Amino acid sequence: MGSVGLPQFNVFGEYYNTIDGKLCSTQETRHGINPATGKPNPEVPVATREDVDTAVAAAQKAFKSWSKVPYSERQQALRNFADALEKHQDDFAKLLTQEQGKPLMFAKAEAASGVTWIRTLSGFELPEEIVEEDDTKKIIVRHTPLGVAVGIVPWNFPIQLACGKITPAVVTGNTIIIKPSPFTPYCDLKLGELAQQFFPPGVVQVLSGDDNLGPWFTAHPGPDKISFTGSTVTGKKVMESASKTLKRVTLELGGKDPTIVCPDVDIATVAPKVATLAFLNSGQICLAIKRIYVHEDIYEPFLKAMVDFTKTLKVGDGAEEGTFLGPVQNSMQYEKVKTFFSDIEKSGQKVAVGGVNEDKPGYFITPTLIDRPAEDSKLATEEPFGPIVPVMTWKDEQEVIDRANGTRMGLGASVWASDLDTANRMAQKLEAGSVWVNTHLELDPRAPFGGHKESGVGFEWSAAGLKAYCNSQTLYLKKKA
Ligand code: NAD
């Protein structure tokens, strides 16, 4: 491991791990691929097991003093960090498009959301709670930081999700090490570099590496907490590995979000919204709409309106003006999404619009709607994490709710209806961590975010989410022995 001093911050400069306040390179390097062009992005470090040991030791050392820094000073450091991210947000957005593939307008929105998430989450206080007080005794509940947290981040929202982990960890007095996805290490490495200007060495560190890195962290005896966002399959491995040392875990996992469209909706307004919320980020959002249930009375016109709208969506390089859908983020995911297309072909399902788009060099898929696949088909039951969505009909309210809930996933769900009583009644029966009426996917850092069933364990964000980075400690104070 070599290290350099802190040079002038430049979003497009070289890429280093940040360990103990230093920018560190590694002997071995690797690179991501720009998914719109297939061309390699710059080289990034491949952290070794020794780098992990060094970072964990630095985080443990920093915790001793950082946990004693007054809460208001930690809040101020985070506000300064947010201001710096805001100053550089256009450059972060360009880098995000280059590494992740999302269109520039959405990359800008993600960089801006990073700023909002840091500001909002660092604004919460976590005061002591007085359970009881009288002349003789006082019972106080305090929230003390856990120690060293590791934030494992997926490739779909590298900026927003890293900011959503760094902030609650650091404001409550923990230190944190971020491990980005090997597919999208660039923005997270730069966030780590930027953070060095505002936090003492070892408080915020970012390590990029290969597929060994996540398991090294979850198995390491040093960290006290793993905050993981990614697939359900990996989340189970993380929990299993963390259980060996009883690390605390928060798991934000996959989804198979249903949306139910009632017969009284205004089709011209609602159909384009539903299609948009299924195809945003090329369907690579945990909370994207992944099953569409339309009431049979309006099925044909609603499907037609979604198809007409979908045909207007421009697919292409996210750096080009007017692109609505960028490529799928990586070749592994591209091949995975294509298995859904082969299954559709094999079982003779009806493509209402869309298809794979192999005449471009990147990993492009045209947004695709499948007309009434079987309820037990691969597309209706698994998460493709790409722009391909099943559209199905329903007739009876209880039956569609049972079908919507008939999955091990429980991340998000929604109902669209003009009659709000109907919508609310149905919404309350849906089994998911986030439920919407007449929208989907709209998130707010002031509200808890997490999944039911196999979509997650625990939740993040909101004032209550800060407690996920804390131990609870009850102090029983007798005023006289
Ligand atoms: P993934 O599970 O493959 O990887 C997520 C992260 O875990 C990456 O950083 C990866 O390097 C790391 N990792 C892989 N194997 C590991 C292991 N054994 N131990 C520790 N870390 C390991 O997920 P992905 O493909 O990057 O992301 C897509 C998935 O994430 C989808 O299922 C999506 O629904 C889900 N997701 C969930 C949320 C949420 O908040 N609930 C948000 C975004 C994405």
Side-chain angles (χ1 to χ4, degrees), residues 152-156 161 179-182 211 214-215 218 228-232 234-235 237-238 252-255 285-286 290 332-333 383 385 411 449 455:
I152 301 181
V153 178
W155 46 257
N156 61 345
L161 294 172
K179 191 213 86 64
S181 164
D211 290 342
T218 58
F228 171 83
T229 303
S231 62
T232 297
T234 312
K237 291 185 195 158
V238 167
E252 299 280 10
L253 309 178
I285 307 185
C286 52
K290 298 193 178 114
M332 187 192 72
Q333 187 60 27
E383 183 188 39
F385 222 55
L411 198 57
F449 174 61
S455 286

Side-chain angles (χ1 to χ4, degrees), residues 42 85 172 253 326 365 391 425 461 479:
L85 176 57
T172 49
L253 309 178
I365 295 200
V391 193
R425 183 180 65 237
W461 313 345
K479 294 188 177 169

